[in-house]
Amino acid sequence: MMHTGKAFIFLLVIIALPLISRGDTLVESLLSAYRLTPGVSLRSTDFDVYDKGSTDPNGTLSEDFSYWPFIMLGSPYRYFGESNWGGLMEYSFSGFNLNQQLVNDELVDLGTSVKGYYAFVTPTVFYSFSGQRPHGKYDQTLITGLGVGLGYLKADGDIIFTESTQQRTDIDISGAALAVSLFLDYRFGSYVTRISGGLTSHAEGAYEYDAFGFSWSFGYIFGL
């Protein structure tokens, strides 16, 4: 459902980051409350159109990575007993305006474009590599999570089915969507860097429409 190159980079960076273990104080209180995190994000979005039931897209609109400001709302981390596992809610809202298509792993201007936005809320299971408390001198934590929930996708524009019939097809959709989110947070003190991916999938008519956003973000955490 997502462009394989971005998916590979996403997984590779997660695997490459170091594992960390136990500690205390400011970050612990931030993790147990709602948090507001402003910052800057390196972001890219893919928009795919599939025939229903197919796993190969008819066409993909995409973009190069670019920097964007962001504000993220985080829910409290609730652990399951004394384990490193827990639960939280992930919230996301993102707009997109794409005017290039992905053809043979290269971005090409075919005169097509799509703009819109997606939003989702996903109940998320997470695992803390550092246990339930921050670790070391800089109050470090490393947490990864996977969530599945509900979203909303709106998009309009057009696309050429470069991978199938070569026809130009209008896009005008809006409605409820399945949402999947995956993230890795590395926190030190009140600072955080986050690698995240979010997929929002909506079926309408003969097609399925997927918006996948990948981002690498850097921000400062404020407890609420």
Side-chain angles (χ1 to χ4, degrees):
M1 287 184 175
M2 65 185 78
H3 179 224
T4 54
K6 290 177 183 173
F8 176 74
I9 293 171
F10 184 34
L11 293 175
L12 183 62
V13 173
I14 286 178
I15 293 169
L17 284 174
L19 302 184
I20 303 164
S21 167
R22 291 207 174 222
D24 59 18
T25 73
L26 175 62
V27 174
E28 183 179 0
S29 63
L30 286 173
L31 294 178
S32 63
Y34 275 89
R35 304 167 309 282
L36 193 66
T37 307
V40 63
S41 179
L42 182 64
R43 193 185 79 180
S44 181
T45 303
D46 284 351
F47 187 91
D48 299 309
V49 181
Y50 298 80
D51 291 326
K52 281 186 176 178
S54 175
T55 57
D56 297 318
N58 290 314
T60 299
L61 286 140
S62 189
E63 65 180 345
D64 288 319
F65 284 97
S66 57
Y67 289 98
W68 293 80
F70 80 94
I71 297 179
M72 180 175 65
L73 176 66
S75 76
Y77 287 77
R78 305 301 189 194
Y79 286 93
F80 304 144
E82 299 301 317
S83 75
N84 289 9
W85 293 92
L88 55 83
M89 298 295 291
E90 279 287 289
Y91 309 94
S92 182
F93 176 88
S94 184
F96 54 86
N97 189 355
L98 312 175
N99 54 27
Q100 298 182 90
Q101 288 201 222
L102 199 61
V103 182
N104 296 323
D105 283 330
E106 292 186 4
L107 290 174
V108 182
D109 186 353
L110 300 179
T112 55
S113 65
V114 64
K115 63 180 179 179
Y117 64 87
Y118 60 86
F120 62 75
V121 178
T122 55
T124 299
V125 174
F126 70 84
Y127 180 84
S128 173
F129 295 99
S130 53
Q132 295 191 14
R133 296 175 180 273
H135 167 76
K137 178 180 177 181
Y138 298 106
D139 287 340
Q140 301 166 91
T141 63
L142 184 65
I143 296 174
T144 187
L146 174 65
V148 178
L150 295 176
Y152 184 87
L153 176 62
K154 178 175 175 57
D156 63 81
D158 59 356
I159 188 172
I160 294 175
F161 286 172
T162 57
E163 307 305 308
S164 56
T165 63
Q166 305 301 314
Q167 74 184 62
R168 182 184 294 264
T169 301
D170 291 333
I171 298 170
D172 185 9
I173 61 160
S174 62
L178 171 69
V180 179
S181 63
L182 178 65
F183 73 86
L184 181 77
D185 277 356
Y186 171 53
R187 301 170 185 269
F188 46 102
S190 295
Y191 296 91
V192 61
T193 179
R194 161 177 280 222
I195 301 166
S196 62
L199 173 71
T200 310
S201 181
H202 171 74
E204 189 169 312
Y207 302 114
E208 179 181 317
Y209 303 86
D210 288 0
F212 175 76
F214 169 86
S215 64
W216 193 340
S217 307
F218 304 85
Y220 186 87
I221 308 166
F222 295 91
L224 300 180

